[in-house]
Amino acid sequence: MNEMMKLKKSILTMAVLGMTLSGAAGVYAGANLQKITAYLNHSIGIQVDGKVYDSSKTMTPITYNNTTYLPVRAIAEVLDVPVRYDAANRQVVIGTGTDQGQSNELVPLKYSEAQLREIRKAFAKFEGFEAAYAPDRMVKGDVYRKTGASEDGVNIMFEHMTVNISPRDYSYGYNSKPVTLSNGTKAKWYTPDDTAMLGFQLDDRFVTLSSPDHSLSPSQLEQIAVHVTKMK
């Protein structure tokens, strides 16, 4: 086992002990919650594989009974490991596997005629922005749900992913991490809340990919990003 894998396993083991998953508290309320007094410890920094991360927001450690706890989602994203909450089984699921119905394999997206009309209709609401764009690949196991227009863009929603296409760059004002996609496109990661966003410019618009349920890893979203294209 190489050193990076050892690092991932040791950190994720510690992170699970202090998991902070959105929605989990609501599921457990009145069942298995135990009230404690803990402290957000801003004096502890986070370094992974030699890189120091800003722990002022999503990665702020919690100290309780002389033990330090880290948010599992933030750590999983740093280590590029998918994580999600399985409400049915009340489990935190870390990594990919056949039991999740998720993998790193991308499959072609075959939109139905009704879905294509839905996507084109959403873009048609914006003058000068009528050309429809959408991903033509998705992670195996994901499912297209719907497309809708917001005030300044179009949201293409899947079970585990949202693709926003807008004339506006939503990353403006946030600290970002640059990344080069496999097709040479310059993109950047930024985190306005607890969900990491991948943004880049494509022709006359900006594309933002995210996994609201945190089940897709950054590398999976980066793979899909290069398959966002103008629809014929």
Side-chain angles (χ1 to χ4, degrees):
M1 182 182 297
N2 59 39
E3 292 302 316
M4 189 57 188
M5 287 303 296
K6 289 180 181 178
L7 176 66
K8 287 185 177 184
K9 284 199 170 185
S10 61
I11 291 181
L12 282 174
T13 299
M14 175 174 58
V16 170
L17 295 176
M19 60 188 173
T20 56
L21 291 172
S22 301
V27 173
Y28 286 111
N32 295 308
L33 286 178
Q34 178 180 349
K35 186 176 181 180
I36 63 172
T37 298
Y39 300 90
L40 290 174
N41 195 336
H42 297 285
S43 64
I44 297 179
I46 305 297
Q47 185 178 125
V48 178
D49 199 26
K51 182 175 181 179
V52 177
Y53 286 83
D54 179 9
S55 61
S56 61
K57 293 183 180 180
T58 59
M59 288 183 64
T60 303
I62 290 176
T63 297
Y64 172 67
N65 281 355
N66 297 318
T67 299
T68 299
Y69 297 83
L70 300 174
V72 65
R73 272 186 172 161
I75 290 296
E77 287 173 1
V78 167
L79 298 176
D80 195 13
V81 177
V83 61
R84 65 186 178 90
Y85 179 66
D86 180 354
N89 296 307
R90 294 187 175 182
Q91 290 182 333
V92 178
V93 183
I94 300 171
T96 58
T98 55
D99 60 322
Q100 296 184 56
Q102 293 289 307
S103 73
N104 287 317
E105 180 184 353
L106 298 189
V107 296
L109 256 166
K110 297 180 180 179
Y111 299 103
S112 68
E113 287 300 320
Q115 291 168 344
L116 291 172
R117 287 195 298 270
E118 179 182 56
I119 294 171
R120 293 191 175 102
K121 182 179 179 181
F123 281 94
K125 293 183 177 181
F126 300 93
E127 184 177 354
F129 197 68
E130 297 90 349
Y133 284 66
D136 62 14
R137 295 286 191 279
M138 65 180 177
V139 172
K140 185 177 181 180
D142 208 350
V143 179
Y144 170 82
R145 291 304 185 192
K146 62 180 179 179
T147 295
S150 63
E151 292 183 358
D152 58 356
V154 173
N155 290 310
I156 305 171
M157 290 167 277
F158 296 77
E159 182 72 21
H160 302 298
M161 172 180 68
T162 296
V163 180
N164 175 273
I165 302 175
S166 170
R168 173 185 171 189
D169 182 2
Y170 287 104
S171 69
Y172 182 77
Y174 293 103
N175 293 328
S176 61
K177 173 188 174 184
V179 63
T180 301
L181 304 179
S182 61
N183 62 353
T185 298
K186 301 298 183 182
K188 51 189 171 183
W189 283 101
Y190 63 101
T191 309
D193 47 38
D194 68 340
T195 299
M197 306 282 186
L198 174 65
F200 62 96
Q201 185 169 358
L202 178 61
D203 299 334
D204 63 342
R205 58 204 65 202
F206 292 90
V207 179
T208 304
L209 291 88
S210 63
S211 180
D213 67 357
H214 298 255
S215 64
L216 301 187
S217 70
S219 65
Q220 287 173 316
L221 291 175
E222 288 176 15
Q223 290 177 56
I224 297 166
V226 301
H227 292 286
V228 177
T229 185
K230 185 176 181 179
M231 299 177 66
K232 298 179 180 179

